[in-house]
Amino acid sequence: MPSIIAARGVEKIFRQPRRLPGFIGGLRTLFTREFTEVRAVDGISFDIAAGEATGYLGPNGAGKSTMIKMMTGILVPTAGTLSVLGREPHSNRILNAAEIGVVFGQRSQLWWDLPVRDSFDLNRHIYDIPAGRFTENLRYLTAMLDMGGYIDRPVRQLSLGQRMRAEIAMALLHDPKILFLDEPTIGLDVVAKDAVRKFLAEVNRERGTTIILTTHDLVDIEEICPRLIMVDDGKLLFDGELKRLRATLGSRRRLTLEFAGDPGPIILTSATLTADDGAAKHFLLEDESVSLLDVLEELGRGHGLKDVKLEEPDIEEVIRTFYKTKPQLAGAAP
Amino acid sequence: MKVSAYPAFTVTAFLSRLVYRNQVWSGVFGELVATFAFIAVWTAAFSGSRNVDGVTLPDMVTYVLIAGPLLNWNTTRYIREVGDSIRNGDVTVFLLKPLHYPALLFFNQLGNNAFEQLTITLPVAVIVALTVGLLPPASPAHGLLFLAFWAVSWCMLFLIATLTGLLAFWLLTAFSLEWFLRGIMALASGAVVPLWFMPGALAALLGHLPFAWVSYYPSAVYLGKLDAPTSGVYLLIGLSWLAALAALAGWLWSRARHRLVVQGG
């Protein structure tokens, strides 16, 4: 498939004026020009093909949003080349903007005081959407995102989940070729997160819209994006399928067994004991093929087992494991 | 994108303002107090004389209303909006659209301003006309010329405010600039004291700066203090200033876009 986004050694360095503490320090900043350089994106290269759904994953401050802003043309790379739909985004900002849709989880594009429908209608003018197409898209999006109940209510009265669905609909009204989402599920409850994820996966599958999504929630990637680009501290750590990452690292699930009383030492072949608090014992499941049932079968009856908790590794842990175990994977091609 | 997108912003801005109707009452009240305060000052200054330097008290009452609320509209809200959107990064939302940001600001502010003129200036003008009295334009020709000057005045103040707001890209604060501008505007636009009452040298200097086209020249034309040919010359000078400021704003904007530092990320 032809690539529609190509990044080659992209860098972004922010120069931030150094703020000195205190009142005198504040005054001094009026006269001094001291800067600290922050390397937010450090030599990132990748290709994204039309129709792909890619998760851009990393902890806070990893340079995810910066990369999105460069791809959408509102931030100029310090070095390297970036091409989106065959164009350099920042020097063709307006042409680029007409063909992409963007959702910022923490920044609203809707008009706060007006009904959702008015914001949509303004987009019809901005993107010059033909009337028939607009009506059809609006109907599809209203049904899919279940917006019928609040489309005529002012945005300031909406819940965060409703607002986020409206933001996503707004970004899709003009049939963009690429949809960028910067932390679209941030702050949403489980139900709202699930609705957003299902819809995005559907848009990618049914309409062939290329999706690039930043997140620090691993579940977003699992449900929407087969491909994962992982960054930390501005650098590319991993680029490939999520399955491959998991397979390479092992899933390393954490298991906690709680007993009515201290059952004494428990040794299992299927799980490794990491901590023993007496009545609560913590294990690590290294092997993905081991199921909870296997563990419980091995444990057997008669220990007074009260509760079982199985935790998937969170992203910080995956990255930590990744750092420790397989640094040679860094920069690997998909 | 087609050009009709921009007027859509004017309508949207106007509709947004309709939501806060109680702001209108406080706006009308504040403007009314300020206008009558100025009228009282001029009444005291004339202290019974019919004519000072060829200007009458009814001239000054009309001048107060035109040079003040009508032409020298309050830029505070607009500059803060531009400044804030840059400081907190909301400007990115507009940069994500296939739009020219300064043009968007223009049409957006047009909607905001149309709302304020209709809901605040118009009622104040009606009240002043019914109580103290307002003069009509000096002649139909002066009336027509005034309309042209009004358009220049609006664009001039918009550009001055936009330049102030855009400087926030570099200074990351619009607040101090806004105070600076407020001081300059009070003196140099002629909104408080018309240039014809100022010392010759000061009037000559201020009369050639763009600020004078915001309040002084349009009001003077309305009252017939400038004859038609002279008005034409000043209209042309005003248009040249507009072109220069627009070029400056366009340049600043393109520089700002390049150096755009979006906070966070």
Side-chain angles (χ1 to χ4, degrees):
Chain A
M1 270 193 286
S3 89
I4 57 172
I5 299 179
R8 295 284 174 275
V10 173
E11 274 182 30
K12 179 71 194 179
I13 300 169
F14 288 108
R15 288 180 79 215
Q16 289 171 338
R18 188 169 291 162
R19 301 252 176 235
L20 304 168
F23 178 69
I24 301 293
L27 283 181
R28 272 188 59 196
T29 54
L30 286 174
F31 305 103
T32 56
R33 292 244 131 216
E34 283 177 59
F35 291 95
T36 11
E37 287 201 343
V38 179
R39 199 174 283 262
V41 172
D42 192 358
I44 299 258
S45 302
F46 57 79
D47 281 280
I48 289 171
E52 258 193 294
T54 307
Y56 206 84
L57 183 89
N60 287 333
K64 305 187 297 285
S65 299
T66 306
M67 195 66 207
I68 290 272
K69 283 171 186 159
M70 287 194 280
M71 289 190 278
T72 51
I74 56 176
L75 213 51
V76 184
T78 313
T81 57
L82 187 59
S83 157
V84 174
L85 294 161
R87 287 184 290 254
E88 190 183 48
H90 73 88
S91 49
N92 297 284
R93 179 181 64 84
I94 288 185
L95 282 174
N96 190 45
E99 295 195 314
I100 62 170
V102 189
V103 176
F104 281 136
Q106 311 199 65
R107 240 183 252 301
S108 181
Q109 304 189 44
L110 299 159
W111 283 67
W112 191 243
D113 295 318
L114 298 178
V116 178
R117 195 186 289 280
D118 287 8
S119 291
F120 288 174
D121 204 53
L122 190 62
N123 258 27
R124 180 168 65 84
H125 290 286
I126 294 173
Y127 294 97
D128 196 11
I129 310 168
R133 193 88 202 104
F134 179 77
T135 317
E136 196 188 311
N137 278 348
L138 188 58
R139 196 171 48 221
Y140 169 80
L141 293 166
T142 307
M144 284 299 298
L145 288 163
D146 197 16
M147 296 190 297
Y150 61 85
I151 194 165
D152 289 311
R153 294 224 325 253
V155 174
R156 64 192 145 84
Q157 296 178 1
L158 303 186
S159 72
L160 186 60
Q162 290 172 328
R163 211 201 73 201
M164 189 50 64
R165 279 181 278 158
E167 300 274 359
I168 293 172
M170 177 128 151
L172 285 168
L173 279 171
H174 61 288
D175 294 313
K177 294 192 174 113
I178 310 174
L179 179 62
F180 293 95
L181 302 114
D182 193 11
E183 312 213 347
T185 57
I186 198 159
L188 300 187
D189 64 34
V190 183
V191 180
K193 271 186 183 178
D194 195 50
V196 165
R197 285 169 185 150
K198 285 211 165 66
F199 174 73
L200 289 176
E202 148 102 18
V203 163
N204 174 248
R205 204 171 49 238
E206 303 296 324
R207 307 194 132 197
T209 310
T210 308
I211 289 183
I212 292 151
L213 171 143
T214 75
T215 183
H216 48 235
D217 190 337
L218 200 57
V219 187
D220 285 350
I221 310 274
E222 278 174 325
E223 307 237 321
I224 310 164
C225 310
R227 176 170 167 195
L228 168 70
I229 292 177
M230 199 161 83
V231 289
D232 191 23
D233 205 16
K235 293 189 181 65
L236 191 79
L237 287 186
F238 175 85
D239 180 358
E241 283 183 30
L242 181 62
K243 274 184 286 184
R244 193 164 67 90
L245 181 71
R246 276 200 186 283
T248 331
L249 294 179
S251 60
R252 297 176 67 90
R253 290 161 294 169
R254 264 188 298 200
L255 175 70
T256 306
L257 300 178
E258 268 183 59
F259 300 93
D262 191 346
I266 287 185
I267 314 281
L268 297 169
T269 53
S270 49
T272 323
L273 186 73
T274 53
D276 191 343
D277 302 336
K281 304 205 185 297
H282 306 275
F283 298 89
L284 207 56
L285 298 184
E286 304 264 8
D287 187 351
E288 183 142 21
S289 62
V290 173
S291 74
L292 186 57
L293 205 60
D294 296 335
V295 179
L296 296 182
E297 253 174 28
E298 191 189 346
L299 180 69
R301 296 186 162 273
H303 296 283
L305 183 63
K306 207 176 71 183
D307 202 2
V308 176
K309 202 165 77 179
L310 186 62
E311 286 171 287
E312 293 289 324
D314 59 12
I315 179 56
E316 276 74 21
E317 197 176 333
V318 171
I319 290 181
R320 224 180 302 129
T321 318
F322 185 84
Y323 261 133
K324 279 187 204 150
T325 55
K326 306 277 178 189
Q328 71 270 22
L329 259 177
Chain B
M1 181 211 56
K2 55 183 175 181
V3 183
S4 82
Y6 293 109
F9 273 93
T10 307
V11 175
T12 309
F14 191 92
L15 292 176
S16 284
R17 292 297 294 278
L18 272 177
V19 176
Y20 298 99
R21 269 160 297 194
N22 53 342
Q23 278 184 359
V24 170
W25 299 112
S26 56
V28 170
F29 181 73
E31 201 65 68
L32 210 53
V33 170
T35 305
F36 275 100
F38 274 116
I39 291 173
V41 168
W42 286 114
T43 310
F46 273 71
S47 63
S49 7
R50 291 213 43 219
N51 187 316
V52 177
D53 299 346
V55 180
T56 65
L57 185 57
D59 276 347
M60 280 318 299
V61 171
T62 307
Y63 187 96
V64 163
L65 197 87
I66 294 179
L70 183 63
L71 299 174
N72 198 358
W73 44 271
N74 193 347
T75 53
T76 311
R77 180 197 169 91
Y78 170 68
I79 294 175
R80 278 194 195 157
E81 255 173 32
V82 175
D84 284 350
S85 78
I86 289 164
R87 211 176 21 254
N88 66 25
D90 278 346
V91 66
T92 52
V93 166
F94 296 107
L95 295 180
L96 292 170
K97 311 261 181 218
L99 295 165
H100 190 57
Y101 183 61
L104 178 144
L105 290 177
F106 182 91
F107 283 96
N108 202 36
Q109 186 52 26
L110 206 55
N112 274 313
N113 201 233
F115 178 82
E116 279 163 19
Q117 299 288 15
L118 279 176
T119 57
I120 297 175
T121 311
L122 189 64
V124 170
V126 168
I127 292 169
V128 173
L130 292 177
T131 52
V132 191
L134 286 175
L135 296 176
S139 72
H142 280 103
L144 285 176
L145 270 169
F146 169 74
L147 290 180
F149 270 92
W150 189 6
V152 170
S153 159
W154 200 89
C155 297
M156 197 75 82
L157 188 50
F158 170 79
L159 281 172
I160 290 168
T162 305
L163 284 168
T164 312
L166 280 179
L167 282 173
F169 261 114
W170 284 270
L171 304 174
L172 291 178
T173 168
F175 190 66
S176 49
L177 284 170
E178 178 206 312
W179 278 83
F180 182 71
L181 179 70
R182 206 185 288 182
I184 293 272
M185 285 302 294
L187 176 74
S189 72
V192 178
V193 178
L195 266 55
W196 62 58
F197 284 148
M198 290 186 187
L202 183 62
L205 170 70
L206 297 182
H208 291 92
L209 294 179
F211 308 104
W213 273 267
V214 173
S215 286
Y216 173 68
Y217 285 118
S219 316
V221 166
Y222 181 93
L223 294 169
K225 302 301 174 195
L226 296 175
D227 59 30
T230 319
S231 302
V233 170
Y234 278 104
L235 190 60
L236 285 179
I237 302 175
L239 287 171
S240 316
W241 267 120
L242 274 190
L245 291 187
L248 184 60
W251 177 76
L252 258 188
W253 169 240
S254 71
R255 298 276 304 157
R257 238 187 57 206
H258 269 278
R259 296 240 307 230
L260 188 66
V261 172
V262 180
Q263 302 299 327

